[in-house]
Amino acid sequence: MLYQLISRKKQCGGAAVITMLMLPVLAGVMLFVMESAQLLRARSALGDASDAAVLAVSTLKNDDTKERRAMARSWMEEAVTGRGANAWLDRVDIDLLSCFENPDCDARSDNGFEELRLVVSGQPPQWFQSRVAGYSISGSVAHSARARRYVDSGAKDVYFVADFSSSMDLYWAKQRKITMLRNLLNDMAQQLEDETEDRVAGDGKNTIAVIPYSTYTMETRPEPGKEICSLIQIPFGLSPEEEYQRHWDQLDDALAIMFQAKPCHRTYPARLMSDPLFFPFFTVPSTTSAQVIKNQLAKMKPDGETASYEGIIRAAQEAMKGKNPIRTIIVLSDGADTNSNLHRAMVEAGYCDTIREVLENQDSYDGKPVRASIAVVSFSYALKPTNALAQCADKGKVYTAENVDDLRRKVVSIIKDDSAHLYRKP
């Protein structure tokens, strides 16, 4: 009995010692649990914000990368407000994959789509900003979200109005611009052909036409001794800019007949095609064959100054011959028009609106109404919104490419159907 009392006296204060020894461990566990809960809450908020942001960005008609990223960040900061999102979101990456770039998409099916992929990450603020009991907990959270826009499989007539002025012989992004342009047009022609290659003629095959321009357009005509023909849509377009004022009273008359075929401004014999000092480029009428586009582009060389309106009007004339319900004119420009005042006067006279209106008053091969649009992509220079060429395009269809890959992505995004519907992939 006495021994038991002595043993108990020896154990007095043991629990206190054990408790003191365990306090740092318990504090660390509590800190870990509370900070983990904060990370889980932040991840949940980030996930909800990401899902909302990718759907919001999917509704953008303008597929500019910077605009997409800015919109995504704005949505996410709003969704996680109060958690310091603007301080701790350090990564917001968003990419647009066309159907051709996505192995999960069959461009020939009725369920083709393009996919937006959003990836966000950051390190949310800690509840305990300093070390507690010798411990410091920190962590990062990340989330990814996807959204798909299903595209119409209806056949398209695409008209590329391609800048073939002398500056296309210069370099941009470590490539000769004319070489880059040929490669782009060849790729687009092949994609459009592949998309509808299983369809029979008359059942809606995609077509592509190429209309090169400088201060004029050219075409080949089966006339003896006059095989190569240069065309001028605006008769006084080659006049010096200071002389325009005396011709502007003729502008309405010129625009009134812009859909009519024009006589040759100059003619050249076919033998000049093999002359290295001759710089030919010529309209390639609508075709379903990518090989035809490739063969013809290989013969062309750039020359002259810049008059994009000549190419646009010539493209409108070709589009009048189209049969498909979607007709898209895409202007690819590496520089502003040489005589910008004339083009501005034409835009103010409504020639671009007239082109859209006339084309949309036609019927397609299957009796459906035509959807016509004009888009512009500039490269190697920034196209200002006040520029006449930019004002000619449809609203939201003016782009400036940052590099060759960006140029290709923008062209693909224009060709897609704007009436796509959305599907969010978790």
Side-chain angles (χ1 to χ4, degrees):
M1 182 68 176
L2 180 61
Y3 175 79
Q4 291 179 349
L5 290 173
I6 294 173
S7 297
R8 289 176 182 175
K9 286 181 179 181
K10 288 182 178 181
Q11 294 176 13
C12 287
V17 173
I18 294 174
T19 301
M20 292 298 295
L21 293 174
M22 289 296 295
L23 276 178
V25 177
L26 293 173
V29 171
M30 289 179 62
L31 177 63
F32 177 79
V33 171
M34 295 178 70
E35 290 291 0
S36 296
Q38 162 69 347
L39 288 175
L40 290 174
R41 290 183 62 183
R43 186 181 185 281
S44 177
L46 197 67
D48 293 341
S50 301
D51 293 341
V54 76
L55 287 173
V57 174
S58 295
T59 65
L60 278 178
K61 298 298 183 184
N62 189 332
D63 289 312
D64 183 82
T65 303
K66 291 182 179 178
E67 186 175 350
R68 288 199 303 263
R69 186 177 293 113
M71 186 175 184
R73 180 177 286 274
S74 175
W75 267 79
M76 294 179 58
E77 291 179 357
E78 181 69 23
V80 292
T81 183
R83 297 183 177 87
N86 57 339
W88 61 266
L89 281 181
D90 53 27
R91 179 189 179 193
V92 179
D93 291 337
I94 188 160
D95 295 313
L96 178 66
L97 273 68
S98 70
C99 188
F100 302 105
E101 299 169 314
N102 194 330
D104 296 331
C105 180
D106 183 0
R108 303 176 202 170
S109 74
D110 293 332
N111 294 316
F113 60 86
E114 61 182 13
E115 186 170 271
L116 275 169
R117 296 182 177 179
L118 172 66
V119 178
V120 293
S121 64
Q123 185 171 334
Q126 298 174 248
W127 278 348
F128 300 96
Q129 299 296 327
S130 59
R131 297 172 65 89
V132 176
Y135 295 89
S136 179
I137 303 295
S138 64
S140 298
V141 293
H143 190 79
S144 63
R146 302 181 185 184
R148 290 177 176 177
R149 288 192 292 199
Y150 285 91
V151 296
D152 190 350
S153 59
K156 309 170 184 67
D157 295 324
V158 182
Y159 306 89
F160 282 102
V161 179
D163 194 334
F164 262 67
S165 60
S166 297
S167 60
M168 289 296 292
D169 251 336
L170 303 177
Y171 281 75
W172 176 62
K174 300 181 180 180
Q175 291 189 45
R176 279 183 69 217
K177 287 187 277 188
I178 190 61
T179 302
M180 175 273 300
L181 183 61
R182 286 196 193 102
N183 293 338
L184 172 68
L185 294 175
N186 289 335
D187 288 346
M188 294 301 101
Q190 190 62 60
Q191 289 186 9
L192 286 165
E193 178 184 334
D194 292 346
E195 188 177 310
T196 57
E197 68 175 354
D198 294 335
R199 302 179 186 177
V200 299
D203 191 26
K205 278 182 171 288
N206 291 337
T207 70
I208 180 173
V210 179
I211 300 91
Y213 71 89
S214 59
T215 46
Y216 49 84
T217 59
M218 299 184 76
E219 62 182 45
T220 56
R221 291 186 176 180
E223 301 176 18
K226 298 181 180 180
E227 289 85 356
I228 305 172
C229 168
S230 66
L231 296 174
I232 299 293
Q233 305 297 329
I234 306 299
F236 50 89
L238 296 178
S239 303
E241 190 159 2
E242 60 269 15
E243 296 183 13
Y244 281 169
Q245 192 63 45
R246 72 184 67 172
H247 294 293
W248 277 358
D249 59 343
Q250 306 171 29
L251 182 58
D252 289 340
D253 294 335
L255 295 181
I257 60 171
M258 66 177 172
F259 286 99
Q260 297 180 15
K262 305 298 189 301
C264 293
H265 177 68
R266 290 181 180 176
T267 57
Y268 308 88
R271 59 182 172 78
L272 287 179
M273 292 288 284
S274 58
D275 188 337
L277 299 179
F278 184 61
F279 292 86
F281 52 81
F282 45 87
T283 295
V284 183
S286 293
T287 177
T288 59
S289 171
Q291 191 61 47
V292 168
I293 298 295
K294 183 176 182 180
N295 292 343
Q296 297 301 321
L297 284 174
K299 305 174 185 177
M300 301 185 196
K301 292 173 281 186
D303 180 51
E305 298 179 323
T306 306
S308 59
Y309 49 84
E310 288 287 334
I312 293 171
I313 293 176
R314 187 69 188 91
Q317 295 169 356
E318 286 295 312
M320 288 288 290
K321 306 172 187 176
K323 301 296 182 183
N324 288 322
I326 301 173
R327 300 184 199 175
T328 305
I329 296 174
I330 303 176
V331 184
L332 302 173
S333 169
D334 88 319
D337 291 314
T338 304
N339 297 317
S340 57
N341 284 346
L342 174 60
H343 199 180
R344 182 174 303 282
M346 294 171 63
V347 171
E348 291 173 354
Y351 93 104
C352 301
D353 294 333
T354 299
I355 289 173
R356 283 183 285 263
E357 181 180 349
V358 169
L359 292 178
E360 291 183 347
N361 281 333
Q362 294 188 306
D363 289 327
S364 62
Y365 74 94
D366 55 1
K368 294 180 180 179
V370 171
R371 287 178 289 162
S373 64
I374 300 174
V376 176
V377 185
S378 66
F379 55 93
S380 79
Y381 83 110
L383 182 62
K384 297 180 180 179
T386 56
N387 187 285
L389 181 56
Q391 293 180 347
C392 180
D394 292 25
K395 184 178 180 180
K397 289 196 174 182
V398 179
Y399 306 85
T400 295
E402 298 177 356
N403 51 54
V404 176
D405 290 337
D406 190 38
L407 174 62
R408 184 179 184 279
R409 284 193 295 269
K410 284 177 166 56
V411 171
V412 169
S413 73
I414 293 169
I415 294 175
K416 76 180 188 307
D417 180 20
D418 288 335
S419 63
H421 61 276
L422 303 178
Y423 169 74
R424 182 177 67 84
K425 182 176 180 179

